[in-house]
Amino acid sequence: MAKPPSIVILTGAGISAESGIDTFRGGKDGRGGLWEQHRVEDVATPEAFARDPDLVQRFYDMRRASIQTRQPNAAHHALARLEQALPGLVPGARVIVVTQNVDDLHERGGSQNVIHMHGEHLKAWCTACDTRIGWTGPLIDRPPCPACGSAALRPDIVWFGEVPYRMDDIHTALSQADLFVSIGTSGAVYPAAGFVRLARDRGLHTLELNLERSQGSAWFHETRLGPASEVVTAWVDELLA
Ligand code: BJW
């Protein structure tokens, strides 16, 4: 019996750009991106949090509030459609979304098999008792942890220098997959930027969907350029036709 096809899809900020969530790094003009006033390296590190916790908490409070006003776009919906429809066409097929994004637009778009390797805006992490808890409000006023009462909640986000989540699950998924697809990521941040090389080493076909060529483009067998809402939808339509 043929092995059921398994697809690992890595997503980055570009898939949420058309939902109105800024990317981290600007385009070819070098401008834009989320951190115009603060370099990402100046805010998204444990050192920055230790140095100026109010700045970091305010920054994440603002973004936690903002993502709750955003809606999934056609690309998020297309990936959910793929996850739901593929097993009907190929029994046993699996679609796994590994996202670097900390928004919840994949889930709200209907995807169920999602790994958030860089954490989630809508969770807080208590550094006193190590509990992770759903959180939608601000953290700036140091609310008590619902589990232990300590004023030790921080955004449940993987900062530079911290180990991304569920790396074992990601490696297992890559080792069992037939196809690796990367959507809307610049290939600037590791370990995600290295997945295409791991995938190639393991013999997977590799496809990049992006607005413009990324730092990792040369590693892919194929790159298709355009806004995610168009290229992702077209690719899913093609696969399900
Ligand atoms: C569109 C579009 C549209 C636009 N349609 N597309 C030196 C060399 C190599 C590595 C290192 C090094 N020094 C340090 C490191 C490691 C470090 C790292 O990679 N640093 C780099 C700066 C070099 N990495 C880490 O520290 C990571 N941890 C780690 O490595 O631990 C060690 C370890 C690993 C594994 C096992 C054991 C140990 C942690 C990284 C944490 C990243 N955190 C952030 C911030 C937190 C989230 C937040 O605050 O919101 O995560 S950084 C930021 O970048 C965010 C993103 O997830 C991540 C990736 O960005 P992404 O998604 O690619 O966005 P952009 O903006 O870069 O690109 C947007 C793309 O969209 C572009 O390509 C556009 O073309 C495209 N686009 N509109 C389609 N409409």
Side-chain angles (χ1 to χ4, degrees), residues 16-29:
S16 296
E18 290 164 83
S19 296
I21 300 177
D22 285 341
T23 60
F24 293 90
R25 294 162 191 88
K28 282 181 181 138
D29 60 4

Side-chain angles (χ1 to χ4, degrees), residues 99-168:
T99 188
Q100 298 168 86
N101 296 345
V102 293
D103 64 55
D104 63 340
L105 296 187
H106 282 302
E107 288 87 346
R108 283 198 274 139
S111 288
Q112 293 184 358
N113 203 3
V114 182
I115 294 178
H116 280 274
M117 64 179 292
H118 288 167
E120 295 176 65
H121 270 318
L122 298 183
K123 285 188 183 166
W125 171 28
C126 177
T127 55
C129 71
D130 201 27
T131 295
R132 285 176 168 81
I133 183 160
W135 200 269
T136 54
L139 290 172
I140 185 76
D141 292 331
R142 309 294 188 275
C145 166
C148 75
S150 301
L153 293 172
R154 59 162 266 189
D156 190 13
I157 301 286
V158 177
W159 288 327
F160 285 111
E162 297 182 327
V163 179
Y165 294 154
R166 298 186 59 187
M167 288 305 298
D168 289 347

